[in-house]
Amino acid sequence: MFVITDADNNVYEGTADGNNTSYDPTPLQITLSPSPDLQVVPASITLPANGFAGQAITVGWSVINGGAAPTGSVSWTDYTYISRDQILDSTDPTLGFLARSGGLATGATYTQAPSFILPAGTSGDYYVIVQTDRNGVVSETNETNNTLVSTSV
């Protein structure tokens, strides 16, 4: 760490002007602050045994803050998708989304169970994919573990 005094040379010091700078050779150790880590709780996705295109199904899931710090007073959104496979990509239609408001303490969970309309013309086996904080509003320890895939519907 460097310290400079009278950096603008506003004080006349005569010939003693060369001692206005000093430093500490010991490095300053800086570590990252603890962060939250939102995760869809494994095996928490609940679905009906089947659904009908154009009709509502109830999808349930839980999210935990598995990090070392609370989220703070922010809002984020959980998204749900249906997919023919277990990989979330741009071809998977959004089933619906639900906003979450308020902070989440370390180790705390919340549960959502909204009803969403299955897209018309949909038939066959699908997976439901839940993604918490899709838009990355919460600064997390791990941003890659926010998604969970259900068993096939």
Side-chain angles (χ1 to χ4, degrees):
M1 178 173 297
F2 284 88
V3 176
I4 300 173
T5 186
D6 191 25
D8 296 328
N9 281 327
N10 291 327
V11 177
Y12 175 75
E13 298 179 64
T15 59
D17 205 30
N19 64 353
N20 291 354
T21 303
S22 185
Y23 73 96
D24 183 350
T26 307
L28 174 65
Q29 181 66 37
I30 301 173
T31 57
L32 294 174
S33 298
S35 300
D37 185 18
L38 297 176
Q39 304 164 34
V40 182
V41 175
S44 71
I45 298 176
T46 58
L47 306 166
N50 54 46
F52 298 98
Q55 294 187 9
I57 63 167
T58 299
V59 179
W61 67 90
S62 296
V63 173
I64 187 170
N65 177 2
T71 61
S73 296
V74 297
S75 298
W76 61 90
T77 306
D78 295 344
Y79 278 75
T80 59
Y81 308 86
I82 57 171
S83 179
R84 288 278 195 186
D85 56 34
Q86 296 179 318
I87 299 167
L88 177 60
D89 59 41
S90 61
T91 65
D92 298 329
T94 300
L95 191 57
F97 55 90
L98 204 57
R100 162 70 186 184
S101 296
L104 191 62
T106 300
T109 61
Y110 66 88
T111 299
Q112 309 269 40
S115 292
F116 298 122
I117 304 293
L118 291 170
T122 303
S123 68
D125 292 336
Y126 283 84
Y127 296 90
V128 172
I129 300 174
V130 177
Q131 184 178 36
T132 189
D133 190 28
R134 182 189 87 166
N135 299 317
V137 174
V138 178
S139 179
E140 300 177 59
T141 304
N142 182 354
E143 295 284 358
T144 64
N145 63 354
N146 292 8
T147 304
L148 187 69
V149 181
S150 72
T151 56
S152 179
V153 177

